[in-house]
Structures are given as structure tokens and as C-alpha cells.
């Protein structure tokens, strides 16, 4: 990730400097990973899959695509998903779509394909995101730092669509996982309903491919950053 000016100044006087991503340009920084909730670090997706799908009222026998643009949603991701919805349901792909509170209204409705039984489930927000991860086989998401690390730690294959604004930090967040093969990267201007209709069914039905991506992400990212950071803080305090 790209540190801001405050972080760069603080790094000069700090007793120790830690970062979440490798190659972060902070002097003397040690990469320990991003501190995460225990509900994420301890999640066993296969073991929780059936319970999670029951919670969201999704069928246990059909693949699930999780779509989220973060807590505020993402217009381009939402529009592409809704444009592709009918085609994905017809291909037997269920969709759990987290639109963001500001994008959700009563006009956005759940629907089910009568032939395949696949359901589109739009929600405004998910309080327990680990359960959404457990329900899903594949995710389409922005590549904020938290989402990149969480999906890698739980082993959820993800197509990252970085925010097209700013200094490119979202693309950099995903670099290591994408380069290793644990995720895919798609430019925001390349995402469309046609792209999702054409690519998602093949990806989500490729069980072996998803398993490879899952294993790569799961092994690549540290899951003990919270414990490590807490111990380092205590060590400094004792000094």
C-alpha cells in the first residue's frame, strides 16, 4: 500500500514500524500483515458453508457468487452485477449482492430462475462478513486493504476491481495475491455485465481452479498479525 505523509513522518520517530503489505515504502518497516478479527482468522469455509447458505436462504447445491463494493457499495460493480443477473441465474449461479446501504431500496428485489433454481439475493449490508465469505465460492470486490487480506486468509478466490481513483493504492493492495495466483485483477473500466455473463460461469464452475486459488491465498497471507502486533506493543511499553 502507499503510505500517507503522516505515516512517513511518524515512521521517523517511532520505536518500531509495522506494515500490512510487502514492499510498503516506509523506512525500517517490518511487514507483519494486517490485524484481523478472530472470526476471520479462524473461519473454516467448508465447514461453515451449509450453515451460512441456510442463513442467507441460498441453495446448498449451487455455486454462490458474492459481490461487494465495500460498506458504501460501488456503483460500477452494482450495475454490472444487475446487468448480468439474468444470465448468471440461468447458468445456475446464485448471487449474494451486498449493495451498500445508500444503494439499497425496496425497488431492488430478490429473484429466482425457475429452471435452475438459482437466486439473486440483494442486501444492504452484512454484519458478519465471515458468513458471507463462507457461503461463497467466488467473490467480485473492490481491493481495499481489509478485503484483500480477509479473502486471502479465508481462502476465498476473488476478482478484484480496484477503485479507479486515488493514487493506485487499491491495485497495489492486491498485487501480491494476484501475482501469486490467489486472485484476479480487473480494471474498473473493463467490468461490465457482458464481462460477468461471459466469464463468471466458467470461473465459478471450475472447482479445481478455485481450489488452487483458495490454497494460494490461504498460505500467502499471515493470519497472526493481531497477536504479533499486540505483543510488540507490550514489549515497547515494558521498556
Amino acid at each position: 500500500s502507499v503510505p500517507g505523509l503522516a505515516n512517513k513522518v511518524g515512521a521517523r520517530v517511532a520505536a518500531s514500524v509495522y506494515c500490512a503489505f510487502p514492499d510498503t515504502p516506509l523506512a525500517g518497516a517490518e511487514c507483519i500483515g494486517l490485524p484481523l478479527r478472530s472470526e476471520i482468522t479462524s473461519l473454516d469455509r467448508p465447514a461453515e458453508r451449509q450453515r451460512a447458505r441456510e442463513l442467507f436462504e441460498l441453495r446448498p447445491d449451487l455455486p454462490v457468487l458474492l459481490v461487494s463494493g465495500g460498506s458504501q457499495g460501488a456503483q460500477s460493480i452494482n450495475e454490472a452485477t444487475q446487468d448480468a443477473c439474468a444470465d448468471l441465474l440461468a447458468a445456475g449461479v446464485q448471487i449474494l449482492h451486498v449493495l451498500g446501504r445508500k444503494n439499497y431500496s425496496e425497488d431492488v428485489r430478490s429473484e429466482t430462475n425457475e429452471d435452475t433454481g438459482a437466486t439473486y439475493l440483494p442486501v444492504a449490508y452484512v454484519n458478519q462478513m465471515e458468513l458471507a465469505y463462507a457461503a461463497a465460492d467466488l467473490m467480485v470486490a473492490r481491493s481495499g486493504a481489509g478485503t484483500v487480506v480477509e479473502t486471502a486468509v479465508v481462502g476465498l478466490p476473488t476478482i478484484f476491481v480496484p477503485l479507479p481513483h486515488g493514487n493506485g493504492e487499491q491495485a497495489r493492495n492486491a498485487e501480491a495475491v494476484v501475482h501469486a495466483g490467489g486472485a484476479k485483477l480487473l480494471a474498473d473500466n473493463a467490468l461490465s455485465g457482458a464481462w460477468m455473463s461471459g466469464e463468471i460461469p466458467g470461473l465459478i464452475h471450475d472447482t479445481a481452479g478455485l481450489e488452487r486459488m483458495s490454497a494460494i491465498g490461504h498460505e500467502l497471507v499471515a493470519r497472526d498479525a493481531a497477536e504479533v502486533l499486540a505483543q510488540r506493543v507490550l514489549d515497547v511499553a515494558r521498556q
Side-chain angles (χ1 to χ4, degrees), residues 170-189:
Q170 284 213 344
R172 291 193 64 180
N173 288 342
E175 275 182 357
V177 179
V178 171
H179 181 72
K184 297 181 181 295
L185 195 69
L186 183 70
D188 188 81
N189 61 11

Side-chain angles (χ1 to χ4, degrees), residues 36-205:
L36 300 173
R37 296 181 295 120
S38 60
E39 290 85 355
I40 296 293
T41 59
S42 64
L43 178 65
D44 184 336
R45 286 180 53 241
E48 291 292 324
R49 180 172 293 123
Q50 181 170 342
R51 182 174 78 91
R53 291 187 179 181
E54 288 175 356
L55 176 69
F56 290 109
E57 298 183 352
L58 295 167
R59 284 180 49 161
D61 59 330
L62 293 177
V64 175
L65 173 69
L66 171 62
V67 179
S68 174
S71 60
Q72 299 303 312
Q75 184 176 354
S76 60
I77 293 178
N78 288 345
E79 290 178 352
T81 301
Q82 289 165 340
D83 288 345
C85 180
D87 290 338
L88 294 177
L89 297 184
V93 178
Q94 302 183 99
I95 307 168
L96 174 56
H97 188 182
V98 187
L99 290 111
R101 290 192 175 105
K102 68 178 181 180
N103 304 305
Y104 185 84
S105 70
E106 293 183 356
D107 295 332
V108 183
R109 299 180 182 276
S110 175
E111 60 181 284
T112 300
N113 182 288
E114 294 183 359
D115 294 327
T116 65
T119 293
Y120 169 71
L121 177 63
V123 297
Y125 185 78
V126 175
N127 286 317
Q128 295 176 286
M129 201 63 187
E130 64 274 9
L131 294 177
Y133 293 154
D137 296 283
L138 179 68
M139 184 174 186
V140 173
R142 287 287 190 226
S143 49
T147 302
V148 170
V149 177
E150 286 185 355
T151 53
V153 163
V154 303
L156 176 58
T158 302
I159 300 165
F160 291 117
V161 185
L163 192 71
H165 312 297
N167 60 3
E169 69 273 15
Q170 284 213 344
R172 291 193 64 180
N173 288 342
E175 275 182 357
V177 179
V178 171
H179 181 72
K184 297 181 181 295
L185 195 69
L186 183 70
D188 188 81
N189 61 11
L191 178 68
S192 66
W195 186 92
M196 292 185 70
S197 295
E199 298 296 329
I200 294 296
L203 290 171
I204 206 166
H205 288 293

